[in-house]
Amino acid sequence: MSAKAKALFFALLVLASSEASAQTRIKYLLTSPSPNVAEAAHSSVPERMGYWKQGGLDVEVTPFSGSTGATQLVIAGSAQFTMASPEALLVARQEGAPIKGVYNHVREPIYTIAVVDDSPVKKLDDLKGKTIGVLSLSSGATAVAKAMLRSIGLDPEKDARWLPIGLGPQAANALKANQVDAIAMWDWAYAILENSGFRFRHFETPQTASLLSLMLITNDDFLKTHREDEIKFAQGIAKGAVFALANPEAAVRIHWEKYPASKPTNISEEQALKEAVHVLQARLSKYKVEGRADPRLGAFTRKEWESTQGFFYDVGMINKKPDVSEYFTNDLVDEINKFDKAAVIKQAETYR
């Protein structure tokens, strides 16, 4: 190699090293133990399509079991973000924890308590003395389900039993073996079970029907010192949502490429794709912004937070009702939305 070629080679190495070091490292926690296709919009799609990398971010997506535990790690600074439900944020913030919601990802409630179609349980009160299956005791679905029981006058710690049963096949086995009388989960967890032939009746209350759902939660210190990184990270998720809405099948295939274990191997490709799209569709409509009180991707409203805080206050999970601006910020939302949505849609529609 000539001296000139060597010089060029080492210059390129230095440049590559410089670009790599310029990337902000982000640890991002999901709230399920293994990434599901329904999480593609905020995990595999932004990573595979380079949305985070284009924003100067090096993102480590880490599966985790439950919103409460994931939020605690963000509080501790062990992770920069989690995509979690709000109940852990409410409790932690009232105890002085420095965290905030910065991006409202899923714009409708996802949690219900459900029973199989032929269950003798006809109303929430019938769950007194029953066993309710959950992903884990730290799951956001568990916290909301307990709050639902409190709201109708039951003591969830005394009047019901809570059994961790996992997801998918584990949960299906628990239902088939009659180990549980009901389950407390979320939209796409039910869709997985529907693919196995189950049909459910769902219970919610007027209060839980207006709760905030999954949001991007971060530590105040990171928010203060990495504003641009916050914007680019949330923008990657916004782009992922637009992409998945435009082409659900492509989002599924991208997720399978990133997480091969999430693709079933015991059924045909056609059936696997059909079932995976069903799971993704359980979540997709909740990303849409058309018709929302604030139609910007990621936006919160005070009314949503007041309703959510009021519910958890009424059921005793929190003991005060401060101004809800303490819990969230919309300060990043306009900048998060500054991207070419038509270009992302075209990218999705032409994806091969």
Side-chain angles (χ1 to χ4, degrees):
M1 184 183 292
S2 69
K4 186 176 180 180
K6 286 182 180 179
L8 177 59
F9 174 75
F10 285 114
L12 289 172
L13 280 181
V14 170
L15 178 60
S17 175
S18 174
E19 289 177 346
S21 63
Q23 297 238 317
T24 302
R25 292 187 62 82
I26 299 290
K27 185 168 185 178
Y28 167 47
L29 301 179
L30 303 180
T31 53
S32 57
S34 57
N36 183 272
V37 292
E39 298 171 291
H42 61 266
S43 61
S44 52
V45 171
E47 185 173 28
R48 172 68 176 80
M49 300 308 296
Y51 299 149
W52 286 326
K53 188 174 182 180
Q54 290 160 16
L57 305 178
D58 177 11
V59 179
E60 176 190 349
V61 181
T62 304
F64 196 82
S65 186
S67 290
T68 302
T71 300
Q72 290 296 322
L73 289 181
V74 172
I75 292 169
S78 301
Q80 284 71 48
F81 296 99
T82 185
M83 184 64 76
S85 48
E87 62 284 343
L89 184 155
L90 288 162
V91 172
R93 190 77 198 189
Q94 291 205 2
E95 294 174 350
I99 52 171
K100 269 193 172 71
V102 294
Y103 180 86
N104 190 8
H105 182 47
V106 180
R107 304 291 285 270
E108 297 172 28
I110 61 172
Y111 295 133
T112 60
I113 296 175
V115 296
V116 294
D117 263 350
D118 60 355
S119 168
V121 173
K122 303 300 181 185
K123 55 187 185 300
L124 282 174
D125 305 71
D126 295 338
L127 290 173
K128 185 173 183 178
K130 305 297 186 184
T131 299
I132 302 173
V134 295
L135 166 65
S136 70
L137 297 180
S138 67
S139 166
T142 307
V144 172
K146 288 183 176 182
M148 288 174 67
L149 296 190
R150 286 192 196 97
S151 74
I152 61 166
L154 296 182
D155 183 336
E157 307 305 335
K158 296 179 181 178
D159 293 331
R161 294 181 293 275
W162 303 88
L163 180 67
I165 60 171
L167 286 173
Q170 291 173 285
N173 289 337
L175 285 165
K176 290 174 183 175
N178 295 315
Q179 294 175 345
V180 296
D181 303 290
I183 57 175
M185 293 195 179
W186 54 93
D187 48 16
W188 61 257
Y190 292 120
I192 291 174
L193 292 168
E194 288 167 356
N195 283 336
S196 297
F198 289 96
R199 294 295 176 264
F200 296 101
R201 286 184 285 111
H202 296 265
F203 300 106
E204 57 184 0
T205 67
Q207 293 79 16
T208 57
S210 61
L211 291 179
L212 281 161
S213 189
L214 288 187
M215 62 187 64
L216 200 59
I217 296 172
T218 193
N219 189 293
D220 283 357
D221 290 338
F222 191 77
L223 179 58
K224 290 173 185 174
T225 58
H226 292 77
R227 175 185 171 85
E228 190 62 26
D229 293 329
E230 295 264 356
I231 291 166
K232 293 302 182 182
F233 184 77
Q235 189 177 81
I237 290 172
K239 290 179 178 179
V242 172
F243 184 104
L245 282 163
N247 193 340
E249 288 192 6
V252 168
R253 294 190 185 282
I254 286 170
H255 195 79
W256 283 347
E257 289 173 13
K258 174 63 182 175
Y259 302 106
S262 67
K263 182 180 180 179
T265 56
N266 57 340
I267 55 178
S268 69
E269 175 95 6
E270 181 182 8
Q271 183 66 20
L273 185 61
K274 178 182 177 181
E275 292 185 1
V277 169
H278 176 65
V279 171
L280 179 56
Q281 291 284 11
R283 176 65 53 83
L284 275 184
S285 65
K286 295 166 186 160
Y287 298 145
K288 292 179 179 178
V289 294
E290 295 80 9
R292 307 286 183 194
D294 187 330
R296 296 175 297 170
L297 287 159
F300 295 102
T301 69
R302 288 184 60 87
K303 185 176 180 181
E304 290 170 323
W305 276 104
E306 287 165 354
S307 176
T308 300
Q309 177 179 249
F311 171 76
F312 287 110
Y313 177 85
D314 290 344
V315 300
M317 187 173 286
I318 54 177
N319 56 23
K320 53 188 175 181
K321 294 198 286 185
D323 188 278
V324 293
S325 62
E326 185 171 313
Y327 304 118
F328 76 102
T329 180
N330 273 334
D331 290 348
L332 311 179
V333 169
D334 282 340
E335 291 172 90
I336 290 168
N337 280 263
K338 286 181 180 177
F339 67 92
D340 189 341
K341 297 177 180 63
V344 174
I345 291 171
K346 183 176 181 181
Q347 192 178 34
E349 291 174 342
T350 59
Y351 182 85
R352 295 292 181 268

